[in-house]
Amino acid sequence: MIVRFDSVERLVHWTNALLFMVLILTALPLYFAQVESLVGRRALIAEIHTWTGVILPLPLLIALSGSWGSGLRADIRRFNLWTKGELKWLMTAGKNPGLEMGKFNPGQKMNAIFVGSSIVVMFCTGFVLGWFNFFPLSWRTGATFVHDVFAGAIVVVIAGHIVFALANRHALMSMISGRISKLWASQRAPRWLAEEQAGHPEI
Amino acid sequence: MSRDISQPEQGIPIGRRVFLGIAGLGILGIVFGSKVQSAVGETIGTGIGGLLPGGDRFRIYSITGSFPNIGSTDYRLTVSGLVDHPMTLTLDDLKSMPSVHLVKDFQCVTGWRVPQVHWEGVKLSDVIDAAGARSQAGGVEFSSFDGADTESLTLSQARRSDVIVAYRMLGGPISSSHGGPVRLYVAPMYGYKSLKWLSGIRLVEKPVPGYWEQNGYPVDAWVGNFDGRQDAPIT
């Protein structure tokens, strides 16, 4: 077994997952009248949604603010760097069978980049909506539009993320235990396994 | 470090650019999104657009958490306070009065907007005149049969021809979730002024601010000059 995600990364992942779930569940009655008529308490739900959104960036920011975030920073560098083969894999929706995968496949990289940037977008647009008095009306309309469009995209991306996780139990378990087998790594992430073994010759 | 083309795994730094691109697009959308939304609405139509996230659609607010339901035959509207003839009107009474049609935007103070909504009802000023406002009346208080929501207007605001007691919108009877069977529609002001489930109109010397105003919203809620609107404020 080798370490795929350290404890800080796992804590950030599951804290984010919890916050996203609270945000999506509280968004339903705020957005759909039929749901609101069933659950009621709109003011309370709006308050929960707003303040959950305010703290949403904190787990990542705290994790990145100290030496404990070295594993997360290394993975973010992996999200940043794309080989030509990975770009081709993405453009052809996975049709590049000869590609030697690194720690993350291009779909996982896009997922991480999109979710990361959507936190920025949802935080900023949500701030305009929550404290609308400070912004001109056309900005409030624009923020509503962007918040809604991104909300739709986020739900689709997260649903896809969960489907892929459930279909790949070893990968899912590694986000819980932190570890994954060398066999899995040799098949699904051989370039990463080579990196790890070069970096830790004793393993 | 020399570049080695046999080692393409080094990679190109693309992720950061995509991250900044998406974040930047979203933040620019705060400033330009209302124009994009109008263009999208005009291209694909508000009917379909309303189904998409970000489309033109009503967000349904209820401060009590449920949608009160009163059948159209059981509906009553009381007109009381500083009037010569206090009245209780049925829905048929309202429909027997001269009707007005408005095609106007519904603009929420938080930003969402539904363009070109069709409204039908009677002028609030006709209802007030039927009851006969006394000379000392200076404002109007409205109450809702949801039991919680209240609103207010000055008498001169209430007498505007684009302030109506509406019994039809969007081409049909007003649904319970939209505040039916009868609601207020104050066209030149933000949506929270258009009280839903209207049950009482009370003329007073000086109105008490309504529910949303007590929660910090402005009492004079003029939309003003926005997106082609020109609603001249009066007091």
Side-chain angles (χ1 to χ4, degrees):
Chain A
M1 301 292 273
I2 52 173
V3 174
R4 190 166 180 234
F5 299 114
D6 66 26
S7 53
V8 170
E9 289 184 289
R10 283 176 279 147
L11 193 59
V12 168
H13 175 271
W14 291 112
T15 314
N16 274 347
L18 178 69
L19 294 176
F20 266 101
M21 278 305 126
V22 171
L23 286 163
I24 290 170
L25 289 177
T26 52
L28 293 175
L30 299 179
Y31 197 74
F32 296 106
Q34 300 91 323
V35 183
E36 194 201 349
S37 70
L38 294 176
V39 295
R41 299 194 189 89
R42 186 185 181 93
L44 172 68
I45 288 169
E47 201 82 347
I48 294 170
H49 187 84
T50 303
W51 290 104
T52 309
V54 167
I55 61 171
L56 178 64
L58 290 183
L60 270 169
L61 290 177
I62 292 169
L64 290 172
S65 66
S67 58
W68 50 82
S70 61
L72 179 61
R73 279 192 290 271
D75 280 348
I76 289 175
R77 278 193 291 276
R78 291 184 168 101
F79 300 146
N80 184 28
L81 296 176
W82 288 65
T83 66
K84 291 208 171 82
E86 286 172 337
L87 280 174
K88 190 185 166 201
W89 190 95
L90 190 71
M91 301 300 180
T92 56
K95 290 190 194 63
N96 190 1
L99 180 65
E100 262 214 329
M101 290 291 179
K103 184 170 182 182
F104 301 104
N105 74 40
Q108 293 166 326
K109 289 183 175 189
M110 278 312 295
N111 178 67
I113 292 165
F114 173 78
V115 171
S117 55
S118 71
I119 291 174
V120 176
V121 172
M122 295 309 263
F123 183 87
C124 293
T125 53
F127 191 85
V128 174
L129 297 178
W131 286 268
F132 58 83
N133 273 327
F134 303 104
F135 302 98
L137 181 58
S138 74
W139 286 30
R140 302 176 206 169
T141 304
T144 304
F145 175 67
V146 174
H147 207 77
D148 287 1
V149 170
F150 269 76
I154 287 168
V155 167
V156 171
V157 169
I158 289 182
H161 180 62
I162 292 171
V163 167
F164 279 119
L166 292 176
N168 298 276
R169 293 299 170 96
H170 294 289
L172 173 61
M173 285 310 294
S174 75
M175 191 49 96
I176 296 168
S177 70
R179 290 162 186 280
I180 202 151
S181 72
K182 281 187 184 172
L183 178 65
W184 183 93
S186 68
Q187 290 167 346
R188 308 293 289 268
R191 196 153 52 79
W192 172 54
L193 183 63
E195 268 172 40
E196 289 288 300
Q197 286 175 336
H200 311 279
E202 72 278 12
I203 296 173
Chain B
M1 201 176 90
S2 66
R3 186 168 284 183
D4 184 353
I5 37 173
S6 71
Q7 296 265 314
E9 292 85 356
Q10 280 303 321
I12 318 153
I14 289 174
R16 186 185 295 142
R17 292 175 214 164
V18 176
F19 173 89
L20 292 173
I22 296 172
L25 206 63
I27 290 163
L28 275 179
I30 295 172
V31 181
F32 300 108
S34 95
K35 288 192 174 66
V36 176
Q37 185 181 30
S38 304
V40 171
E42 280 161 26
T43 312
I44 61 175
T46 54
I48 304 164
L51 300 175
L52 297 172
D56 300 318
R57 62 196 294 285
F58 279 92
R59 272 69 162 177
I60 307 293
Y61 295 72
S62 161
I63 60 178
T64 60
S66 64
F67 303 143
N69 214 332
I70 288 190
S72 51
T73 50
D74 296 330
Y75 176 78
R76 297 290 182 276
L77 173 63
T78 61
V79 186
S80 61
L82 299 172
V83 291
D84 294 328
H85 318 288
M87 302 186 301
T88 300
L89 300 169
T90 65
L91 185 56
D92 284 337
D93 292 336
L94 288 170
K95 285 182 175 170
S96 67
M97 295 170 71
S99 67
V100 285
H101 296 254
L102 296 174
V103 179
K104 291 214 172 236
D105 298 352
F106 190 90
Q107 174 70 57
C108 177
V109 68
T110 63
W112 61 267
R113 170 188 60 201
V114 183
Q116 305 291 297
V117 180
H118 183 217
W119 303 87
E120 184 182 344
V122 299
K123 281 184 198 164
L124 176 59
S125 63
D126 286 351
V127 177
I128 291 171
D129 287 343
R134 292 194 190 150
S135 56
Q136 65 269 42
V140 189
E141 291 175 359
F142 305 93
S143 54
S144 165
F145 61 79
D146 72 358
D149 201 4
T150 54
E151 261 310 328
S152 70
L153 292 169
T154 67
L155 192 56
S156 49
Q157 288 167 355
R159 286 193 183 283
R160 284 178 65 116
S161 60
D162 53 2
V163 176
I164 65 171
V165 175
Y167 47 74
R168 283 174 70 84
M169 68 183 279
L170 300 164
I174 300 177
S175 70
S176 171
S177 62
H178 281 303
V182 176
R183 71 179 294 174
L184 203 59
Y185 176 55
V186 183
M189 295 193 180
Y190 289 124
Y192 64 89
K193 278 287 181 181
S194 296
L195 176 126
K196 305 209 283 194
W197 307 295
L198 177 66
S199 64
I201 296 174
R202 184 177 169 81
L203 278 82
V204 295
E205 275 183 55
K206 202 172 180 309
V208 174
Y211 172 87
W212 291 103
E213 288 84 341
Q214 291 169 27
N215 283 279
Y217 286 15
V219 176
D220 290 330
W222 304 103
V223 176
N225 300 329
F226 175 64
D227 199 51
R229 297 177 64 131
Q230 304 266 321
D231 298 311
I234 53 174
T235 49

